[in-house]
Amino acid sequence: WNTESTTVMYESIGLLVELLFFLLGLQVYRFASGKIVPKDEKARARAEQFRAENAKWMRPLALLLMAIMAVEIALHLSQLIDGSGS
């Protein structure tokens, strides 16, 4: 096992997970803002009801998740570019 290449592989997987969490936060924010609308009428009605009940807390938490993940991604990229690893 090459320790350096294994470390880079694990760092890359960590970066990918952070990116996925950022995208999850983005999708939750878009849903809470009404940008994502289901095509099926029943699903649309359920989504609107859920959004009306929960959008007040979903939007700020989604923004918080995206902000935290953006900082984590920036730090992770700077570590990978500098070559300092972990």
Side-chain angles (χ1 to χ4, degrees):
W1 292 81
N2 185 349
T3 309
E4 187 174 322
S5 66
T6 304
T7 302
V8 170
M9 180 183 71
Y10 287 138
E11 292 292 329
S12 299
I13 291 171
L15 181 61
L16 179 64
V17 169
E18 291 167 354
L19 186 60
L20 289 174
F21 273 107
F22 179 84
L23 293 174
L24 174 69
L26 180 63
Q27 289 298 96
V28 170
Y29 182 79
R30 290 182 67 220
F31 175 77
S33 299
K35 305 286 187 207
I36 299 176
V37 180
K39 294 181 181 179
D40 181 42
E41 197 60 40
K42 281 185 178 181
R44 183 179 299 154
R46 285 193 319 264
E48 286 298 325
Q49 180 183 3
F50 182 81
R51 189 178 298 123
E53 295 170 1
N54 298 302
K56 189 177 273 189
W57 62 266
M58 282 175 40
R59 267 184 265 172
L61 289 181
L63 286 173
L64 180 63
L65 177 62
M66 288 190 305
I68 291 170
M69 287 298 110
V71 169
E72 289 292 325
I73 290 168
L75 291 173
H76 215 134
L77 285 175
S78 70
Q79 284 180 345
L80 285 174
I81 291 170
D82 290 343
S84 61
S86 51

